[in-house]
């Protein structure tokens, strides 16, 4: 009743069915979250006599409705409400996907393989520890209200090294493509060249900002042929930052295929009048400023794609490989990893490319 009341009261009818799908599994914690929401509504009603929907839009925040729990294996999770226009109850796991993938992959190999690759595996585990430490520090900084965006850049650089090592370990092993565990690598960030690319797994690194923009921008005469932009753009932007996405979700993004040609053209149509007859340093700054704007749009587009409910076409590959078992749970985990990866990509250092 509380769920139905909340949905109707705040015009959020779409949230009802999605909440009900997870209530049975985590009823106690969900009820606690909803009780906080209901208490807030009652409190506001007492203060003002009534709570108009437009006033709710001004004052209401989902932030206080976050709760945590541990599963039967002791793994930590959090429950939270995501989204403003169409809020959804989400479950997010602690960042350990790369480690989970590593443990699974090693479990499929022979003892001889594990012995031969032991030094590499140790390096991977060390990189995972570094990434986890930075994630924890970012969470702490956010909680304190302190600057954290530079740490996202540090995390992105740490993941470049992690993805390179995982790529070395996995190589082009086609066996990865057949297993649900491959999705542990979706949302992994790095450079295009560093990303693991097992044969037949239908995952592709998504350049953000797009490769075509990096490559063409580097050809402007006011950028040095030996500068950082040229280095990043070399070899079709193989050193450009990218996020690992399943092909379907990549295709639904902003720059895949023919859409990439259009976004590239739009970018340079906007750039040209802004750089005409200006000093070289100002020309470089304008290009990078617009590149940042394009990056924000790229990130927002993928985040919009993964907002789709688990039973929508954007996730049909997951439903197929999970055969309907734990599909919603797997989708939730993938969505969380992609959003976290996009946050890293969004905070990459583009200013240095003006040098």
């Amino acid at each position: 009743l509380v769920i139905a009341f909340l949905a109707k009261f705040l015009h959020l009818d779409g949230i009802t069915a999605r909440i009900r799908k997870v209530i049975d599994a985590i009823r106690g914690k969900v009820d606690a979250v909803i009780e906080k929401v209901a208490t807030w509504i009652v409190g506001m009603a007492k203060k003002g006599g009534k709570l108009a929907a437009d006033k709710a839009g001004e004052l209401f925040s989902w932030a206080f409705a976050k709760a945590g729990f541990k599963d039967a294996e002791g793994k930590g999770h959090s429950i939270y409400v995501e989204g403003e226009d169409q809020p959804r109850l989400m479950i997010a796991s602690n960042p350990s996907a790369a480690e989970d993938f590593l443990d699974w992959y090693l479990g499929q190999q022979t003892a001889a393989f594990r012995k031969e690759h032991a030094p590499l595996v140790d390096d991977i585990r060390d990189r995972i520890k570094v990434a986890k430490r930075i994630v924890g520090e970012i969470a702490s900084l956010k909680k304190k209200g302190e600057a954290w965006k530079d740490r996202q850049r540090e995390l992105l650089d740490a993941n470049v090294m992690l993805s390179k090592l995982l790529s070395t370990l996995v190589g082009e092993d086609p066996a990865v493509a057949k297993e649900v565990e491959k999705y542990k690598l979706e949302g992994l960030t790095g450079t295009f060249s560093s990303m693991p690319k097992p044969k037949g797994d239908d995952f592709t690194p998504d350049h953000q900002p797009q490769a075509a923009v990096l490559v063409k921008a580097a050809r402007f005469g006011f950028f040095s042929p030996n500068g950082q932009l040229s280095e990043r753009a070399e070899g079709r932007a193989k050193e450009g930052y990218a996020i690992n996405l399943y092909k379907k979700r990549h295709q639904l993004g902003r720059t895949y295929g023919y859409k990439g040609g259009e976004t590239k053209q739009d970018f340079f149509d906007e750039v040209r009048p802004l750089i005409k007859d200006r000093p070289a340093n100002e020309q470089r700054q304008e290009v990078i400023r617009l590149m940042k704007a394009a990056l924000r749009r790229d990130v927002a587009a993928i985040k919009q794609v993964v907002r789709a409910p688990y039973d929508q076409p954007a996730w049909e590959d997951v439903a197929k490989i999970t055969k309907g078992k734990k599909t919603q749970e797997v989708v939730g985990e993938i969505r969380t990893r992609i959003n976290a990866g996009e946050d890293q990509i969004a905070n990459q250092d583009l200013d240095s490319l003006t040098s």
Side-chain angles (χ1 to χ4, degrees):
L1 287 174
V2 172
I3 298 169
F5 169 73
L6 175 62
K8 185 174 182 61
F9 195 81
L10 295 181
H11 305 286
L12 305 176
D13 297 323
I15 194 174
T16 307
R18 287 188 285 273
I19 291 180
R20 290 190 186 282
K21 289 180 183 296
V22 295
I23 275 199
D24 289 339
I26 50 174
R27 177 173 295 277
K29 289 295 182 180
V30 174
D31 285 348
V33 170
I34 293 168
E35 184 177 351
K36 290 182 182 180
V37 177
T39 300
W40 179 86
I41 291 173
V42 171
M44 291 301 296
K46 286 180 178 178
K47 289 180 181 179
K50 65 176 183 177
L51 181 63
D54 58 345
K55 196 65 178 176
E58 289 179 25
L59 300 177
F60 190 77
S61 170
W62 293 106
F64 70 89
K66 186 171 182 178
F69 70 98
K70 289 188 176 181
D71 62 22
E73 299 176 354
K75 293 182 179 179
H77 304 269
S78 62
I79 308 167
Y80 63 99
V81 181
E82 177 184 88
E84 297 297 332
D85 296 331
Q86 293 183 317
R88 293 176 309 282
L89 194 70
M90 308 291 292
I91 302 174
S93 299
N94 291 336
S96 59
E99 191 168 30
D100 289 344
F101 175 83
L102 178 63
D103 290 339
W104 167 80
Y105 187 73
L106 292 175
Q108 311 303 305
Q109 310 305 319
T110 64
F113 178 94
R114 291 193 291 272
K115 182 177 180 180
E116 178 185 353
H117 293 84
L120 175 58
V121 170
D122 289 341
D123 285 346
I124 294 173
R125 292 197 188 280
D126 287 342
R127 290 293 172 181
I128 290 172
K129 288 178 183 177
V130 170
K132 282 187 170 183
R133 174 180 56 78
I134 298 172
V135 167
E137 291 170 359
I138 290 172
S140 178
L141 290 170
K142 284 184 175 181
K143 187 175 181 179
K144 296 175 184 176
E146 298 176 3
W148 52 270
K149 289 189 177 182
D150 285 345
R151 302 312 304 276
Q152 286 279 25
R153 295 178 184 177
E154 186 178 342
L155 178 59
L156 181 59
D157 290 339
N159 280 338
V160 170
M161 297 304 301
L162 174 58
S163 63
K164 283 181 179 178
L165 294 172
L166 283 171
S167 184
T168 301
L169 179 68
V170 177
E172 297 184 349
D173 188 347
V176 175
K178 303 175 183 177
E179 304 293 340
V180 70
E181 280 79 5
K182 69 183 179 183
Y183 288 101
K184 298 289 186 183
L185 296 181
E186 187 165 10
L188 183 69
T189 55
T191 59
F192 185 88
S193 63
S194 73
M195 210 66 71
K197 302 178 182 71
K199 288 183 177 180
D201 72 351
D202 284 327
F203 279 83
T204 56
D206 180 14
H207 276 101
Q208 295 177 8
Q210 70 183 104
V213 166
L214 289 169
V215 171
K216 189 168 182 179
R219 294 174 182 161
F220 279 126
F222 46 80
F223 281 103
S224 168
N226 300 314
Q228 291 194 40
L229 178 57
S230 294
E231 290 179 6
R232 196 172 295 189
E234 185 179 357
R236 203 180 177 279
K238 65 180 181 180
E239 296 308 312
Y241 289 116
I243 183 168
N244 202 33
L245 297 174
Y246 184 76
K247 181 173 65 176
K248 176 71 171 180
R249 287 175 280 289
H250 190 174
Q251 289 172 338
L252 291 171
R254 179 172 170 268
T255 61
Y256 189 92
Y258 76 90
K259 291 182 287 186
E262 295 176 355
T263 53
K264 171 188 168 185
Q265 188 63 46
D266 290 345
F267 179 88
F268 288 101
D269 285 347
E270 189 175 1
V271 163
R272 288 188 184 94
L274 296 175
I275 61 176
K276 186 177 181 181
D277 301 326
R278 297 181 68 173
N281 66 316
E282 293 182 11
Q283 290 175 321
R284 291 193 293 270
Q285 289 171 7
E286 282 297 329
V287 170
I288 298 306
R289 181 181 67 80
L290 293 179
M291 199 176 287
K292 288 179 180 178
L295 171 61
R296 289 193 294 271
R297 289 192 287 268
D298 295 343
V299 167
I302 294 300
K303 285 193 170 186
Q304 180 63 38
V305 169
V306 302
R307 284 193 189 105
Y310 76 99
D311 55 357
Q312 294 301 300
W315 302 106
E316 59 188 10
D317 57 298
V318 181
K320 183 176 180 180
I321 200 168
T322 58
K323 297 180 174 59
K325 297 177 180 178
K326 296 189 175 181
T327 302
Q328 185 176 9
E329 178 183 337
V330 174
V331 166
E333 292 173 357
I334 296 170
R335 182 188 289 120
T336 299
R337 286 196 296 275
I338 291 175
N339 282 329
E342 290 292 357
D343 288 342
Q344 296 166 38
I345 292 284
N347 287 291
Q348 67 182 268
D349 179 15
L350 291 177
D351 291 322
S352 63
L353 301 185
T354 59
S355 63

